[in-house]
Amino acid sequence: QVQLVESGGGLVQAGGSLRLSCAASGPTFSRYVMSWFRQTPGKEREFVSAIIWRNGISYYADSVKGRFTISMDNAKNTVYLQMNSLKVEDTAIYYCAAKWGDGYIRLPKYDYWGQGTQVTVSS
């Protein structure tokens, strides 16, 4: 059973930074993709970023490219999302997700989800 626990959300002013963490527990993650999605009320869950555990290749949504960085710590089974130059439109609940295999990374069809962490960016 895979468990994902996010932390690091909060309130920040536009232009500021936050780092989200996703602590994963369960089986070995060598064949997993770890991703971040976000969602605002009334909208579908939106892909933000992903990283392939076995080789570290990362992917980003165009809206966050150059501002967000995804990384992982194998020893801690933890994935991070460093968010810089935050904008008001980045306000959302951010979810960590995991899936076996690296197909359809940008679709919210993942096997496991965390509980979400709120990120609020004020103007």
Side-chain angles (χ1 to χ4, degrees), residues 3-119:
Q3 289 189 321
L4 305 173
V5 179
E6 302 103 331
S7 61
L11 173 65
V12 64
Q13 285 192 327
S17 299
L18 282 175
R19 189 178 79 157
L20 305 183
S21 300
C22 174
S25 61
T28 178
F29 293 96
S30 60
R31 297 290 298 178
Y32 276 71
V33 173
M34 306 295 293
S35 297
W36 290 94
F37 286 78
R38 64 188 182 187
Q39 190 169 26
T40 54
K43 292 190 176 181
E44 294 186 352
R45 202 160 286 192
E46 173 190 27
F47 171 78
V48 176
S49 182
I51 190 165
I52 299 177
W53 201 280
R54 60 184 170 84
N55 58 24
I57 293 176
S58 57
Y59 302 83
Y60 296 94
D62 288 343
S63 58
V64 307
K65 202 172 294 184
R67 300 187 297 121
F68 291 10
T69 303
I70 192 169
S71 62
M72 61 186 184
D73 184 329
N74 284 319
K76 296 182 178 180
N77 271 3
T78 299
V79 176
Y80 304 97
L81 185 68
Q82 178 66 43
M83 305 186 296
N84 299 329
S85 302
L86 282 161
K87 304 176 181 180
V88 172
E89 51 264 41
D90 293 320
T91 296
I93 298 176
Y94 283 70
Y95 296 91
C96 179
K99 65 179 295 202
W100 192 93
D102 53 3
Y104 302 101
I105 287 174
R106 297 172 186 267
L107 297 180
K109 297 183 184 296
Y110 279 63
D111 301 312
Y112 305 99
W113 293 88
Q115 81 286 355
T117 185
Q118 177 71 48
V119 171

